[in-house]
Amino acid sequence: MVTDPIADMLTRVRNAMMAKHARTQMPASKIKLEIARILKDEGYIQDYTTGEVEEKATLTLSLRYGPAGERVITGIERVSRSGLRIYRKKDEIPDVLGGLGISIVSTSQGLMTGAESRRRGLGGEVICNVW
């Protein structure tokens, strides 16, 4: 049993990128699907698919690498966690590496990047940072 499924997802992605795997698989949930959608829209992964293994929903991420095999995701970290929730107002949502990375924020209108939540004037819980 995993106490923080989002941290587990991020760790699986981090480990797969370090080992230069083509894809990684994990249990699926709605929030993980939204995180995968954002990662795909921002160009950090190639694609994601859902399926079932032994009647349990799974999420498979196809990882993306540069032309010389360099990692596209060089860092991914959990910000808000079960023991310490991090909420930010629209003006306080942080830039990641001076704008080179993204933050994923859970707002009242769903998950979105930090830049999009600032543009819409929404604050929320900062889920993770990706660069």
Side-chain angles (χ1 to χ4, degrees), residues 54-89:
E54 298 175 3
E55 298 183 12
K56 299 208 181 227
T58 61
L59 172 65
T60 304
L61 302 179
S62 299
L63 304 175
R64 185 173 174 198
Y65 297 94
E70 63 271 5
R71 295 185 295 269
V72 173
I73 298 176
T74 56
I76 187 166
E77 69 178 358
R78 182 83 155 109
V79 175
S80 183
R81 46 194 168 86
S82 58
L84 179 64
R85 298 289 184 194
I86 305 294
Y87 296 95
R88 295 287 181 247
K89 296 179 185 176

Side-chain angles (χ1 to χ4, degrees), residues 41-59:
D41 290 347
E42 295 295 319
Y44 287 103
I45 61 173
Q46 283 183 348
D47 201 8
Y48 63 95
T49 57
T50 58
E52 281 196 19
V53 174
E54 298 175 3
E55 298 183 12
K56 299 208 181 227
T58 61
L59 172 65

